[in-house]
């Protein structure tokens, strides 16, 4: 793994929409590696192939509310994933929005005559730079439809994953990075990458994960422009 220079480690803010999208949606090998790494960490299984598709779902009827995803992608096995970066609480129940987005992902994969066994998994993944669940200190939540009594799940096809960045551990030394799960490394990178006071920590995280290194390279390459321009 190449060493990261200690002279300068300035990285653009990955929580800004253009920069967040640039990490994962450009038609480059670095962007593809970063996207597969992030998705693998988020859903807990290895993502071999993924394709970024159009970021807006077609409406089924004239007055249906449009859905414009930050990142919309599909795996080689038909699994669909939608990724959102939400920088602040917009004074509405974000959980309802996430459920609606996830439902649209599931409904969009079925055609007339399809067997129900062909329904692929769908993941709505949100990186939140605000606290969603104030009654729980866990920063990572993976929701599925389940029985309220005994917790028994239905098919597991409908998934909503939240990453609440403000709940991340406040102090993690560079020596502790090797013990962090990949998803927490990604979350720490997204939360602290542009923080001048966290350079040593971010450097250690970047050097520990190839996908995060590619994300870091994308943001550093956009430094002179002050705002990364991302591809269609």
């Amino acid at each position: 793994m190449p060493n990261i220079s200690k002279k300068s480690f300035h990285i653009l803010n990955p929580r800004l929409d253009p920069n967040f999208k640039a990490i994962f949606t450009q038609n480059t090998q670095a962007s593809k590696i970063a996207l597969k790494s992030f998705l693998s960490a988020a859903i807990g299984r290895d993502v071999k192939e993924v394709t970024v598709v159009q970021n807006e779902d077609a409406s089924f009827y004239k007055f249906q509310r449009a859905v414009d995803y930050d990142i919309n992608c599909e795996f080689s096995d038909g699994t669909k994933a939608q990724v959102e970066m939400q920088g602040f609480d917009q004074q509405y129940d974000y959980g309802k929005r996430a459920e609606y987005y996830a439902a649209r992902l599931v409904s969009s994969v079925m055609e007339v005559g399809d067997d129900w066994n062909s329904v692929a998994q769908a993941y709505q993944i949100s990186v939140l730079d605000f606290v969603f669940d104030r009654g729980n200190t866990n920063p990572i939540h993976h929701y599925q439809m389940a029985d309220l009594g005994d917790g028994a799940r239905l098919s597991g096809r409908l998934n909503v994953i939240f990453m609440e960045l403000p709940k991340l551990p406040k102090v993690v030394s560079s020596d502790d990075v090797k013990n962090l799960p990949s998803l927490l490394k990604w979350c720490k990178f997204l939360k602290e990458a542009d923080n001048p006071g966290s350079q040593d920590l971010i450097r250690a995280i970047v050097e520990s994960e190839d996908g995060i290194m590619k994300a870091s390279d994308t943001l550093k390459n956009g430094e002179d422009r002050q705002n990364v321009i991302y591809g269609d």
Side-chain angles (χ1 to χ4, degrees):
M1 186 73 69
N3 290 324
I4 306 297
S5 169
K6 293 191 177 183
K7 294 185 196 175
S8 175
F9 200 69
H10 179 70
I11 301 178
L12 294 176
N13 183 350
R15 298 175 306 285
L16 295 179
D17 260 5
N19 300 335
F20 183 76
K21 293 174 184 176
I23 293 172
F24 301 115
T25 64
Q26 296 185 94
N27 189 26
T28 65
Q29 190 65 15
S31 192
K32 293 174 183 177
I33 291 172
L35 180 59
K36 287 192 289 185
S37 171
F38 176 77
L39 290 173
S40 295
I43 70 175
R45 65 180 173 91
D46 191 24
V47 175
K48 296 293 186 183
E49 295 294 334
V50 61
T51 303
V52 176
V53 296
Q54 65 182 24
N55 66 349
E56 185 172 356
D57 267 355
S59 296
F60 298 120
Y61 56 90
K62 183 177 180 180
F63 297 106
Q64 184 178 23
R65 181 166 183 162
V67 174
D68 187 6
Y69 304 123
D70 279 354
I71 301 169
N72 192 20
C73 50
E74 185 170 345
F75 304 176
S76 57
D77 65 357
T79 297
K80 289 201 170 187
Q82 178 265 330
V83 184
E84 291 284 306
M85 165 58 75
Q86 193 72 22
F88 57 94
D89 188 351
Q90 296 183 329
Q91 304 302 312
Y92 55 68
D93 189 341
Y94 190 81
K96 293 176 182 176
R97 170 177 167 172
E99 285 182 321
Y100 179 72
Y101 275 31
R104 286 292 297 269
L105 282 176
V106 170
S107 63
S108 67
V109 305
M110 292 295 291
E111 296 180 357
V112 174
D114 281 351
D115 188 278
W116 289 111
N117 290 325
S118 69
V119 177
Q121 285 188 304
Y123 292 89
Q124 194 287 324
I125 301 168
S126 290
V127 181
L128 307 178
D129 201 19
F130 63 88
V131 174
F132 170 75
D133 184 353
R134 298 188 179 279
N136 191 317
T137 60
N138 186 1
I140 309 297
H141 301 275
H142 188 150
Y143 304 101
Q144 291 183 337
M145 294 184 69
D147 185 275
L148 294 178
D150 60 15
R153 297 183 301 168
L154 287 178
S155 69
R157 291 297 191 264
L158 194 66
N159 297 268
V160 174
I161 298 172
F162 284 174
M163 307 166 199
E164 298 176 75
L165 300 185
K167 291 183 180 179
L168 294 172
K170 298 297 183 183
V171 179
V172 179
S173 71
S174 57
D175 291 336
D176 293 332
V177 166
K178 60 180 179 294
N179 296 319
L180 280 179
S182 292
L183 186 53
L184 286 183
K185 290 180 183 179
W186 267 107
C187 288
K188 289 296 288 184
F189 173 78
L190 294 171
K191 181 63 176 175
E192 302 287 347
D194 58 317
N195 182 356
S198 299
Q199 289 190 13
D200 289 342
L201 173 61
I202 295 304
R203 186 179 294 107
I205 289 174
V206 166
E207 290 183 341
S208 73
E209 293 273 339
D210 188 46
I212 300 179
M213 178 171 286
K214 297 300 188 291
S216 172
D217 289 344
T218 297
L219 296 178
K220 286 190 293 182
N221 289 339
E223 180 180 346
D224 292 338
R225 300 191 300 275
Q226 295 302 310
N227 197 23
V228 177
I229 304 299
Y230 57 95
D232 294 331

